[in-house]
Amino acid sequence: MSDYSEFDSVLSRYLDGTLSAEELAHLEAKLVGDDAFAEHVSRWCLTHRQIVELLTETKLHDLMDQFVQGSPGLPKGAFRQPATAVTTEGQQVDIDLAGGSVSDHQAAKWRFARWLTFTAAAAALVGFVTWWVTHQSSLRTLGSAEKSKILTEAPPAERDEIIATLTQVVDGVWAPGAPQLRHGQQLSKGSRVALASGMAKVTYDCGAEVVLQGPCEFVLQDSMLGYLKAGRITAHVPRRAFSFAILSPQVDFVDLGTSFGVDVGVTGTTQLHVFEGEVLCSQPKKPATGRSDVIHVLANKAMEFTTPNGPPSNIAINEEQFARLIALRRAADFTAGHLVEDKLALWLAADVAVTTDAQRRVISWQDIVYGDNQSAEDAIQTVENARPQLVADSLNGHPAIRFDGNSDFLLTTPLETTDDQTVLIVMQYSPSAYNKDRRWGGQVLNYDGPNRESEDIQSDQDLAERTRYLSNTLVPGVLQIGEPLLEEEFKPTLLTGQVFAGFIGSATVEAGRVDTVQVGANNPVVVAFVYDYEYEHGKAFLTINGRLHGSARAFAPQGITSRKIIGRHAWKQLYFHGDLAELLIFNKALSPAELVQTTTYLADKYGIAVDQQSN
Amino acid sequence: MEADRFSRRASELDHRATTRMDQESRGDFDTESVRELARLWVQSQPVISAYLTANVIDMHHAEDLVQEVAQVVAEKFAEYDPRRSFTSWSLGIARNRLLKYYRLRARDRLVLSEAALSKLSEALERIEHEAEDRRAALRACLEKVQGRRRQVLEMRYEENAKVGAIAEHFGMSPDGVSVMLHRIRSLLFECIQRQLARSEAR
């Protein structure tokens, strides 16, 4: 066996989290390139773990005995270390823990194996008990106040409340000692974003977009609150995030539906420039009155605050100072021709604003800011093996995002969508849609995105707790486009649109359900699903290449702010096999003329023949 | 017409189809499967725990992850293909959980890349059979760690203390603590190798 002792100090520091970046790179290169070294590292990891287990083993056994006291299925004292033990071979052996003898090994194996055969959940129990033991050890060294805090500490789900996503990073260099964030990373309450240089955009789940320019330090205090410690930002706040606030050392800013920039200088001087709408400013309370003054700053105005209690001064608005940050929000700079602008809510195009990794897998598909679509809800995938592929030559020579039907999907930041909806998709199915082992349909688009990433959903209980899963028809419906899900209805490439509205007994309730035809593989199509909600007279219909394929009653409301999933069902592993070139969502039911206009625009762009039959 | 269509759909739809799909995805199984799962888990748990503990500095979080992986393995056991290595399959689940853990937290230390983590899991699978013997040898070797070294070890491993906290407690420099932990681990590693060699020689 080769001697890797020269690496052992590096390994030891890795286990303690004190490695430098250079050392890590050196370690990684060796690990990836040398299988024997990888085994050496794995033995270090095993030893590291076993030290934990052995140092807590005695306490663990005592605790497990307490845990199973009274359990009918387990013998009393099953986990105490007996003076003698009987092996599975029927031999009686002495247990000598200090000596590390073979008999000790057999007894340990017998105890552990016998316990685990009683229940599969024992594995989780071991983890829980060990956690409890190690936690107790930590508590021993703390004061009572700290202990109380830990014992009443929120469970992991609450500690990790996700409130935003890092939706763009441009030449970003993180400040020394700051978290090394990644494009697409979800950010929890209290996350710190500190740039030494470059730019980054944080999109809050409430819809507020904050663009930072390094050097800059910003903390995501809460779902509607950020703290700018130093540096320059712009904030674009949509209507639904009304009262989103930015705090700074000297002044608090509360948005009233705006776009504005804030610059906190190194001396503490703070400037506010309001580009659109209105911002309320509040300084620290005055000693004399015990109250703060509220200052209204309107569009195209700017103000400077030099001292905490001193009067602010009007200054000239300087949009140029924030030009780079403003430009970052726009996903593309081009003219869309005859595209309908009114109530456009989401626009994704594979030939515009797609960020990929080194293997051309899609990290983010950026929402094009255009017309009424002034907030960018990018579609993101941070998990490498779940990223779809950007293909340069797909639909009639145009780029498209390819979903493999096994694991690929994208998730938008929360997007507000209304009861009335129009969804247009330019797509084609892959030949793999006809794989013989497919029994259930895959979805192209689903409005029921979870609050966190979909891997969190492992069961119906998870679903009920963590998403908007419908349990009755009083909850808004979920728009879905794709193949029929159920086995007995499934046909590959059969396009269906509906708003799933819940269950009555064991029957599903589907509003506006329209089944069309099997469009086949490698056949580019322009799909339009229009949902015009009204309880008595509402109607939904679905067209393919302009041809109407059916209509149904649109009797269920569906307005909601949620993440939209592209390429799979909300929580079931039912994936889309095919390519998406373009996706548009309108927060209205397009008129016939608007639908023809938009369908024609897309069909012309992608060279798809449109059926001129009147709708 | 809508009511007729609705009632027709209610009778047409076989909710058991949905239930069956749910059951398969949840992995409901019988007693024999439970025993098989337990047997496989006993074998694999050491390397899975090692994989997670080494790559998550906070041992509380590492234990949480081990528990989560155990739960996912149990729930997805119906999907497990017996022709494939259970350890490899479980380590895949562990790796996904680990990567999710990294994503959900603003990382406060440098971690291995996905490629390196894959290599590590493959290597752990290859040495899986050594786990029990190494544990037994380590038990004996740990008895020989005494005095301040024992205290440092207990503080690091039992109390989940970081290097800085240990240094402050003992009035040492952080580098000094790092060096001490390195020496302790190296000595334990060499002791284990000697113990194993001695066992083989018998």
Side-chain angles (χ1 to χ4, degrees), chain A residues 14 28 39 53 57 572, chain B residues 22 109 113 126 135 139:
Chain A
Y14 178 75
E28 275 190 359
E39 290 180 13
E53 291 176 355
E57 192 176 63
K572 292 189 192 293
Chain B
D22 288 348
R109 76 156 184 171
S113 67
R126 291 197 295 273
R135 182 188 168 96
R139 187 193 300 279

Side-chain angles (χ1 to χ4, degrees), chain A residues 56-93:
Chain A
T56 58
E57 192 176 63
T58 302
K59 292 174 194 152
L60 178 65
H61 288 157
D62 287 344
L63 207 62
M64 285 158 71
D65 278 333
Q66 291 170 30
F67 219 83
V68 301
Q69 202 72 36
S71 166
L74 289 165
K76 303 295 185 293
F79 311 105
R80 292 197 199 286
Q81 297 169 7
T84 62
V86 178
T87 68
T88 51
E89 290 80 28
Q91 296 172 320
Q92 188 165 5
V93 296

Side-chain angles (χ1 to χ4, degrees), chain A residues 537-573:
Chain A
H537 305 295
K539 183 166 278 190
F541 60 90
L542 199 151
T543 68
I544 299 176
N545 297 342
R547 181 187 176 88
L548 177 68
H549 281 270
S551 64
R553 265 189 65 205
F555 60 85
Q558 60 158 328
I560 193 156
T561 298
S562 66
R563 297 177 187 275
K564 314 314 184 198
I565 296 188
I566 302 169
R568 62 169 267 183
H569 185 269
W571 59 275
K572 292 189 192 293
Q573 311 290 321

Side-chain angles (χ1 to χ4, degrees), chain A residues 255-279:
Chain A
D255 162 80
L256 298 183
T258 61
S259 175
F260 61 94
V262 178
D263 190 324
V264 176
V266 294
T267 59
T269 298
T270 302
Q271 288 188 2
L272 167 71
H273 298 252
V274 180
F275 312 126
E276 293 174 27
E278 181 179 354
V279 173

Side-chain angles (χ1 to χ4, degrees), chain A residues 8-9 12 14-17 19-21 24 28 31-32 35 38-55 57 59 97-98 100 102 104-105 109 116 120 123-124 130-131 134-135 137-138 140-141 160 179 182 185-186 382-384 439-440 453 455-456 458 460 486-489 504 506-510 513 553 572, chain B residues 2 5-6 9-10 12-15 18 20-22 24 26 34 37-38 41-42 45-46 49-50 53-55 57 59-60 63-64 67 70 75-76 97 100 103-107 109-114 116 119-120 123-124 126-127 130-136 138-140 142-143 150 156-159 163 181-182 185-186 188-189 192 202:
Chain A
D8 288 350
S9 63
S12 184
Y14 178 75
L15 295 175
D16 294 326
L19 211 60
S20 70
L24 179 69
E28 275 190 359
L31 181 58
V32 171
D35 282 354
E39 290 180 13
H40 178 75
V41 174
S42 66
R43 291 186 182 95
W44 265 71
C45 295
L46 193 58
T47 303
H48 179 66
R49 170 66 191 192
Q50 289 173 337
I51 294 173
V52 175
E53 291 176 355
L54 288 170
L55 285 182
E57 192 176 63
K59 292 174 194 152
L97 297 172
V102 172
D104 170 71
H105 153 71
K109 182 177 179 180
L116 281 175
T130 308
W131 169 84
T134 55
H135 210 69
S137 301
S138 298
R140 195 174 63 220
T141 62
D160 293 338
R182 292 171 301 118
Q185 182 162 344
Q186 293 194 308
T382 56
V383 178
E384 287 186 21
R439 291 160 59 192
W440 301 293
E453 294 176 4
E455 294 96 309
D456 278 345
Q458 303 294 342
D460 285 342
L486 298 183
E487 188 174 1
E488 65 177 36
E489 297 179 343
I504 294 179
S506 62
T508 56
V509 178
E510 295 150 347
R513 164 105 180 223
R553 265 189 65 205
K572 292 189 192 293
Chain B
E2 186 61 37
R5 181 165 176 266
F6 180 84
R9 183 167 293 283
E12 284 169 357
L13 281 174
D14 181 6
H15 183 62
T18 310
R20 186 170 67 245
M21 182 165 65
D22 288 348
E24 288 184 12
R26 278 200 304 271
V34 167
L37 170 63
W41 181 256
V42 168
Q45 186 262 347
S49 302
T53 306
N55 290 294
I57 189 173
M59 288 179 199
H60 301 160
E63 294 302 338
D64 289 347
Q67 183 179 1
E75 285 171 7
K76 292 193 173 215
R97 278 303 191 200
K100 192 188 82 163
R103 283 197 311 276
L104 289 178
R105 297 183 172 277
R107 280 182 278 163
R109 76 156 184 171
L110 297 171
V111 296
L112 292 173
S113 67
E114 206 169 319
K119 278 290 184 181
L120 181 59
L124 277 165
R126 291 197 295 273
I127 65 147
E130 300 175 15
E132 288 192 48
D133 289 341
R134 294 187 72 87
R135 182 188 168 96
L138 176 61
R139 187 193 300 279
L142 269 175
E143 296 294 325
R150 182 77 183 200
R156 174 70 185 91
Y157 282 93
E158 281 187 30
E159 299 176 23
V163 167
L181 284 169
H182 163 223
R185 288 168 176 146
S186 294
L188 286 171
F189 198 85
I192 292 167
R202 287 180 190 158

Side-chain angles (χ1 to χ4, degrees), chain A residues 574-590:
Chain A
L574 300 172
Y575 295 91
F576 168 54
H577 291 250
D579 301 349
L580 291 186
E582 204 143 336
L583 171 66
L584 295 97
I585 294 178
F586 292 86
N587 277 336
K588 71 172 190 178
L590 292 185

Side-chain angles (χ1 to χ4, degrees), chain B residues 156-172:
Chain B
R156 174 70 185 91
Y157 282 93
E158 281 187 30
E159 299 176 23
N160 196 29
K162 292 190 180 173
V163 167
I166 298 172
E168 195 176 329
H169 182 82
F170 288 105
M172 297 169 64

